[in-house]
Amino acid sequence: MDFSLTDDQVAFRQTARQFALKELKPHAAEWDRNSHFPIDVIKKTGDLGFLGLYTNPDYGGLGLPRLDSAIIFEELAWGDTSVASYMSIHNMVAWMIGEYGSAALCEQYIPKMVSGEWLGSYCLTEAGAGSDAASLRTKADKQGDYYVLNGEKAFISGAGETDVLVVMARTGGSGPKGVSAFVVDAHSDGIEYGKNEQKMGWKAQPTRTISFKDVKVPAANLIGEEGQGFRIAMKGLDGGRINIGICAVGTAQAALETATNYVKERSQFGSPIAELQSVQFKLADMLTQTITARQMLYLASSKVDENDPQASAYCAMAKRLSTDLSFDVANEALQLHGGYGYLNEYPLERHVRDLRVHQILEGTNEIMRVIISRQLLQDDGLSNLR
Ligand SMILES: Cc1cc2nc3c(=O)[nH]c(=O)nc-3n(C[C@H](O)[C@H](O)[C@H](O)COP(=O)(O)OP(=O)(O)OC[C@H]3O[C@@H](n4cnc5c(N)ncnc54)[C@H](O)[C@@H]3O)c2cc1C
């Protein structure tokens, strides 16, 4: 067992850190304040391969292992949580098309998605179908060479600014087996976008509802077979959860670095607060939590890379643990800044606001526990999960 990074992984990390340092971190506060989605900057990352990190290399993706992709996402999130997290969703969408789409669909969509010409959104959630996503009601009726989509999706990241939607819609009976997945042109007739939701964090990317009214989608835009859409959506989320977790860790790392510097500079009662043992212990716990979260995500990534049958449970464990620990680290970093942590001149309050949603989306942390305990309670569950 070797815990050290390969030369390639170190190089990926350096490239991503350089990009984050130059192009993301200096602007993150302003983008947050103005709710600005920096599409131009995101598109630029196509040149570095960051918009198709683990996407099918036959169509221009880098085809990296999840572990390598996670190393890159961590650095991007160190620079800007909201932007990196949107990029992780785009990557998930590009991967789904590359993994399950026909050759023609891949040729049509992937090169433009990995270059950044087209950005993507993942459309599963509906107002009445959140944690119980398999109860979704958006319908896709087959009419000749087309499916006709009707329904409404909620909370869609990037919506209104993206070009490609992967939409999960009902083609059959109730439950997960009646769901299919489609690639939909985001500018199609019959698609309407809601207002940009006013959110606590993740302000540097839009979140909107999308309504579909008699939207014609070519039958060839079905991904996989009819009825496989829910399984495909969940496979996408396995990797997605690693990404959401590692973006939380990148943010925790940034908060920890800021707090470590601050306590050395801030003096009270005649000496730097770093000399107080309670402060030292707090930092020690924050570092331990950050490394624990990162290593758990690396483990889950390797389970996905190895096609381990328990990969979903590992991804759920890693997402739950890493997002909870990272939120706590950012919150403690804010506490170490005292009143200044509460001001938006410092990045801590933004980190806390941004990280809160990582405990909620791509499956809430309660749903992660549902997934873990379901696997655990199966015959041989415990011996398969070690
Ligand atoms: C900023 C943001 C961006 C998002 N982006 C996307 C996106 O791009 N695409 C997309 O499809 N979705 C997206 N989502 C939706 C997100 O995935 C859902 O909000 C999430 O899955 C929870 O669904 P819900 O909000 O309907 O909550 P609910 O399902 O109504 O849950 C409410 C509460 O009940 C708990 N709960 C529900 N069922 C159980 C259970 N069985 N056991 C224990 N507790 C339970 C939940 O954990 C939660 O605490 C986004 C959400 C946000 C906030």
Side-chain angles (χ1 to χ4, degrees):
M1 197 177 290
D2 183 1
F3 284 94
S4 51
L5 300 186
T6 64
D7 290 348
D8 279 354
Q9 289 167 339
V10 171
F12 289 143
R13 189 166 68 179
Q14 279 168 351
T15 307
R17 172 64 72 116
Q18 281 310 314
F19 184 85
L21 194 61
K22 193 158 160 259
E23 305 279 357
L24 301 178
K25 209 173 186 66
H27 310 290
E30 183 201 327
W31 293 339
D32 172 74
R33 203 174 310 118
N34 301 329
S35 296
H36 174 68
F37 186 44
I39 287 202
D40 48 338
V41 177
I42 292 170
K43 290 188 173 214
K44 240 195 244 181
T45 68
D47 295 340
L48 297 168
F50 293 171
L51 296 176
L53 284 173
Y54 54 96
T55 307
N56 194 333
D58 294 343
Y59 303 97
L62 289 188
L64 291 180
R66 302 309 170 100
L67 184 52
D68 297 19
S69 307
I71 288 165
I72 292 168
F73 282 129
E74 176 178 345
E75 298 309 316
L76 297 176
W78 175 87
D80 189 310
T81 319
S82 175
V83 171
S85 299
Y86 166 72
M87 287 171 62
S88 85
I89 293 170
H90 170 90
N91 269 270
M92 173 169 69
V93 171
W95 176 81
M96 288 167 75
I97 299 172
E99 186 72 9
Y100 299 103
S102 65
L105 267 186
C106 290
E107 269 159 29
Q108 191 182 347
Y109 285 93
I110 305 241
K112 290 199 161 96
M113 291 186 79
V114 300
S115 72
E117 192 174 333
W118 288 347
L119 297 179
S121 288
Y122 174 91
C123 309
L124 178 66
T125 305
E126 299 178 359
S131 297
D132 183 12
S135 68
L136 64 83
R137 297 174 67 153
T138 295
K139 277 198 71 119
D141 286 319
K142 184 125 195 247
Q143 294 180 12
D145 291 342
Y146 288 89
Y147 285 89
V148 178
L149 278 186
N150 278 289
E152 185 163 285
K153 295 290 173 181
F155 286 115
I156 305 305
S157 299
E161 308 282 349
T162 52
D163 310 282
V164 181
L165 310 175
V166 165
V167 180
M168 273 49 78
R170 193 159 298 286
T171 47
S174 60
K177 296 210 167 104
V179 175
S180 301
F182 299 90
V183 184
V184 179
D185 176 349
H187 312 292
S188 305
D189 288 345
I191 294 186
E192 280 186 15
Y193 295 96
K195 67 174 180 3
N196 188 5
E197 306 285 3
Q198 298 299 302
K199 307 189 292 289
M200 173 182 180
W202 274 31
K203 287 173 183 279
Q205 57 160 301
T207 310
R208 290 189 169 90
T209 56
I210 309 182
S211 74
F212 301 89
K213 199 159 173 237
D214 296 329
V215 176
K216 281 173 81 178
V217 179
N221 283 26
L222 177 70
I223 316 182
E225 307 276 319
E226 263 198 23
Q228 289 181 346
F230 195 73
R231 196 176 65 82
I232 292 171
M234 293 303 112
K235 282 280 174 207
L237 282 182
D238 277 350
R241 286 169 184 155
I242 293 171
N243 300 341
I244 289 300
I246 204 75
C247 285
V249 170
T251 311
Q253 177 72 30
L256 175 58
E257 288 172 15
T258 309
T260 305
N261 291 332
Y262 184 79
V263 298
K264 289 187 211 158
E265 286 162 12
R266 176 71 175 169
S267 282
Q268 287 294 278
F269 301 101
S271 52
I273 59 172
E275 290 178 15
L276 300 168
Q277 198 176 47
S278 67
V279 168
Q280 295 167 0
F281 279 18
K282 196 169 270 195
L283 285 171
D285 285 348
M286 289 159 67
L287 176 62
T288 310
Q289 286 171 311
T290 306
I291 293 177
T292 304
R294 183 183 296 116
Q295 292 302 323
M296 185 69 202
L297 285 157
Y298 286 180
L299 175 65
S301 307
S302 71
K303 296 288 179 187
V304 175
D305 288 330
E306 290 159 10
N307 261 325
D308 188 295
Q310 309 298 329
S312 298
Y314 281 99
C315 290
M317 282 189 263
K319 191 267 185 185
R320 202 288 294 163
L321 184 81
S322 61
T323 57
D324 283 351
L325 291 181
S326 298
F327 180 81
D328 289 349
V329 169
N331 203 26
E332 290 294 4
L334 187 156
Q335 187 73 14
L336 284 172
H337 279 69
Y340 296 98
Y342 198 68
L343 304 184
N344 68 11
E345 281 164 45
Y346 289 79
L348 288 315
E349 59 86 33
R350 171 166 45 87
H351 293 330
V352 170
R353 285 190 287 103
D354 280 342
L355 283 190
R356 189 61 184 83
V357 78
H358 291 237
Q359 297 169 302
I360 295 171
L361 91 164
E362 297 206 6
T364 66
N365 282 2
E366 290 72 35
I367 294 304
M368 295 306 98
R369 292 179 174 95
V370 171
I371 294 169
I372 299 159
S373 54
R374 192 189 294 142
Q375 286 299 105
L376 163 66
L377 292 170
Q378 281 186 359
D379 291 345
D380 290 333
L382 251 188
S383 47
N384 289 332
L385 292 165
R386 298 193 60 140

